[in-house]
Amino acid sequence: MLINKIKVNKENIGYGVSIALLFALLQWLELRFVMYSEQLELYVGIIALIFTALGGWLVFSLLPKVKSHEQKPASITFVFNKDEALQRNISKRELEVLQLMEKGMSNKEIADQLFVSVNTIKTHASNLFEKLESKRRLQAITTAKKLNLLP
C-alpha cells in the first residue's frame, strides 16, 4: 500500500526533493555572499573577541597580586570627649541611641535592641538633634564624630 502511494506520488516527491535541494543551494550561496560582503566586520568582531578574552584573563590573573599590595590604614585610637558630653548634657542612653543610629539602624530596630518603645527612641533622637544642633541623623552623627562623641 505504501509502495503504491510512492509510485502514484513519485512526481510530487521529485518536485519536493528538487525544491529542497534548490533551497539548500540558495542558502549556501547566501551564506557565501554574506561571508564575502561582511568580511571586514567578521574579522573585526573576531579580533574584538580575542582582545576581550585577553583583557579578562589579564584582569583575573593580576587582580590578586594588586590586592595583596594594598596597605591597611594605621588604626587611630579613639578618645571619648567626656567634657563635651557633659557640656551638652548628653545622657548615656542618648549616646547608645546615637551609636546605634551610626550603625544605620531604624527607630524600630533601636527600640527592639534597647527594649523600649519607638516613641522613646524618637524622643531620644529629638533630644540629640537639639543638643547637637542638627536636623537629621547624618548631621547629628557627623557633629558627634567631630566632637569625639563617636569613634
Side-chain angles (χ1 to χ4, degrees):
M1 182 155 175
L2 181 63
I3 296 174
N4 289 339
K5 284 186 180 181
I6 291 175
K7 286 181 183 177
V8 171
N9 292 320
K10 194 176 193 177
E11 192 173 319
N12 290 339
I13 292 172
Y15 286 133
V17 169
S18 62
I19 288 174
L21 288 173
L22 283 173
F23 183 71
L25 177 66
L26 284 173
Q27 289 294 319
W28 180 76
L29 287 173
E30 183 181 2
L31 179 64
R32 287 185 55 92
F33 175 73
V34 168
M35 292 294 283
Y36 287 121
S37 67
E38 307 296 330
Q39 194 171 19
L40 178 66
E41 287 84 0
L42 184 65
Y43 287 135
V44 169
I46 290 170
I47 291 170
L49 285 174
I50 290 170
F51 277 101
T52 301
L54 181 65
W57 174 76
L58 281 173
V59 166
F60 287 117
S61 65
L62 294 178
L63 190 62
K65 295 175 186 173
V66 171
K67 280 188 176 182
S68 65
H69 288 81
E70 290 177 0
Q71 294 180 353
K72 295 179 182 175
S75 61
I76 300 170
T77 58
F78 171 71
V79 179
F80 180 72
N81 190 349
K82 292 180 186 177
D83 296 333
E84 192 67 40
L86 288 173
Q87 183 181 354
R88 292 183 182 260
N89 198 22
I90 298 175
S91 69
K92 288 182 181 179
R93 186 58 110 178
E94 288 171 343
L95 279 174
E96 286 180 80
V97 171
L98 187 61
Q99 289 169 349
L100 295 174
M101 280 182 183
E102 181 192 20
K103 291 182 181 178
M105 297 176 81
S106 67
N107 286 343
K108 172 111 174 65
E109 292 170 332
I110 295 171
D112 290 342
Q113 183 157 348
L114 298 179
F115 303 107
V116 294
S117 72
V118 175
N119 287 331
T120 303
I121 299 302
K122 288 180 181 179
T123 302
H124 287 312
S126 174
N127 291 339
L128 279 168
F129 295 157
E130 186 178 322
K131 292 175 183 179
L132 294 173
E133 300 168 2
S134 57
K135 296 179 182 177
R136 295 179 194 85
R137 286 179 168 219
L138 187 58
Q139 269 184 323
I141 292 167
T142 305
T143 304
K145 286 184 177 184
K146 286 179 184 175
L147 298 172
N148 284 335
L149 298 176
L150 287 175

